[in-house]
Amino acid sequence: MKLSQGVEWGAHCAVTLARVEPGLSLSRRTLAERYALPEAYLAKHLKAMVNAGLLHATTGPNGGFRLAKRPEDITMLDVVEAIEGPVPRFVCQEIRQRGTAGLAPEDCVARCGVDSAMEAAKEAWRESLRGVTVAALVARLPPAARGPVTP
Amino acid sequence: MKLSQGVEWGAHCAVTLARVEPGLSLSRRTLAERYALPEAYLAKHLKAMVNAGLLHATTGPNGGFRLAKRPEDITMLDVVEAIEGPVPRFVCQEIRQRGTAGLAPEDCVARCGVDSAMEAAKEAWRESLRGVTVAALVARLPPAARGPVTP
DNA sequence: GCACATCTACTCGGATAGAGAATGTCCGAGTCTCTGGGG
DNA sequence: CCCCAGAGACTCGGACATTCTCTATCCGAGTAGATGTGC
């Protein structure tokens, strides 16, 4: 249940990008300096968000990153899964069927109870993250930090 | 959001131990063979559950592990936190206050929205795990695997 | 036959290597903009 | 004054080290029970 560091960075960057005027972009250098983060490493997470279709990247002067979708259509779950990769399903190795206590396959038609419980918990977690959009996070910023961001 | 391997092992072992006659114990060797797991490594997780107060260990012949509490009083959350360690709080490093976009401390009295969202999701996850007890998992076993376990 | 000291075998516990992922960093490919010259 | 070619600087993208956690393993400390002996 360890959560990678970059998730926080990605989330904050998404919130910041949501405040940029349409048509403009923020370079990864600007974003990194904005939060005093290591630029080269932040780039890796931004790229992951590009691959996931959350951000759009343009090169050259005045290039950078911008949101690829509306802030209302980007959830925290999108950000987390973009950076962490698709959440690996709880790997129930079906140890029920192994070893000296191995159950017969016909006793395993119902899913392993441990697996079910972990899966349900993970789904609750995902559902909670799915309910928070980037737009909602922008709305919750303090008034002093809600204005447009310029490159 | 990676979940350590040993959680599944610990959970299955707890379910098995709940089926042992009171007063008896299962050695880690027996438990390991039961699921074809590496004994030495399983020992580490069992020890963690002992330290967490879920299991009780006795040495010598006929020794081993037994539940330290009633199966109804042990939840999946207990097992997970015993093995994974106390779930590290989402480390919001308050990057809001750093870098060129650093907010003034007076604008940060309300908790960071990203942090709040992650915290709420984690709590939903914990709440889901809290609702499943070892006793409930035993009850959901197939009938053929619900009888008492002998050392 | 019974009690006791010893001895064995079995148990857990902590200290010790190896693999994989996350973290952190660097340099190269591509592109937009600006500048200078020519018509 | 307008257009065009070139250079320059800025951007992202992928390949390369480093650190930390998880995985896996071994050997030693301690204890309950079995055993053999003496009374």
Side-chain angles (χ1 to χ4, degrees):
Chain A
M1 188 53 183
K2 197 184 64 175
L3 203 54
S4 123
Q5 177 81 42
V7 169
E8 183 187 2
W9 302 358
H12 276 97
C13 287
V15 172
T16 298
L17 289 173
R19 294 165 51 203
V20 176
E21 299 283 339
L24 298 182
S25 299
L26 292 186
S27 71
R28 72 187 186 191
R29 180 185 196 87
T30 303
L31 283 169
E33 288 177 346
R34 202 176 165 78
Y35 295 114
L37 301 177
E39 177 188 347
Y41 187 33
L42 175 64
K44 178 165 286 191
H45 298 310
L46 291 173
K47 172 177 138 39
M49 294 172 80
V50 171
N51 289 343
L54 301 184
L55 302 185
H56 183 80
T58 48
T59 62
N62 294 334
F65 297 92
R66 66 173 189 270
L67 293 186
K69 307 198 292 188
R70 295 185 311 162
E72 302 86 21
D73 296 335
I74 301 178
T75 68
M76 280 293 288
L77 182 61
D78 294 327
V79 174
V80 171
E81 289 192 335
I83 293 175
E84 295 266 307
V87 178
R89 171 165 167 52
F90 180 72
V91 185
C92 184
Q93 302 181 334
E94 284 294 335
I95 66 178
R96 295 184 295 171
Q97 301 187 30
R98 295 161 49 188
T100 59
L103 294 178
E106 58 265 27
D107 286 328
C108 297
V109 288
R111 189 198 280 178
C112 167
V114 174
D115 184 48
S116 299
M118 298 305 298
E119 186 72 11
K122 193 185 77 176
E123 198 47 46
W125 178 76
R126 287 163 51 92
E127 192 58 37
S128 178
L129 290 179
R130 215 192 314 270
V132 180
T133 66
V134 170
L137 291 177
V138 172
R140 285 170 60 180
L141 287 174
R146 211 176 298 162
V149 176
T150 57
Chain B
M1 188 53 183
K2 197 183 66 175
L3 202 53
S4 122
Q5 176 84 41
V7 170
E8 182 187 4
W9 302 358
H12 276 96
C13 287
V15 172
T16 297
L17 289 173
R19 294 165 52 203
V20 177
E21 299 283 338
L24 298 181
S25 297
L26 291 185
S27 72
R28 75 187 185 192
R29 182 184 195 87
T30 303
L31 283 169
E33 288 178 346
R34 203 177 164 78
Y35 294 113
L37 302 177
E39 176 189 346
Y41 187 34
L42 175 64
K44 176 163 286 189
H45 297 311
L46 291 174
K47 173 177 140 38
M49 295 173 80
V50 170
N51 290 343
L54 300 183
L55 302 185
H56 183 80
T58 48
T59 62
N62 293 333
F65 297 90
R66 67 172 189 269
L67 294 186
K69 308 197 290 188
R70 295 186 310 162
E72 303 86 24
D73 295 334
I74 301 178
T75 69
M76 281 294 287
L77 181 60
D78 294 327
V79 175
V80 171
E81 290 192 335
I83 293 176
E84 295 266 309
V87 178
R89 172 164 165 56
F90 181 72
V91 185
C92 185
Q93 301 181 334
E94 284 296 334
I95 65 179
R96 294 183 295 171
Q97 301 186 29
R98 295 161 48 188
T100 59
L103 294 177
E106 58 265 26
D107 286 330
C108 296
V109 288
R111 188 197 280 178
C112 166
V114 175
D115 185 48
S116 298
M118 299 305 297
E119 185 73 9
K122 194 185 76 177
E123 196 48 47
W125 179 76
R126 286 163 52 91
E127 191 59 35
S128 178
L129 290 178
R130 216 193 313 270
V132 180
T133 67
V134 171
L137 291 177
V138 173
R140 286 170 59 179
L141 287 174
R146 211 176 297 161
V149 177
T150 56

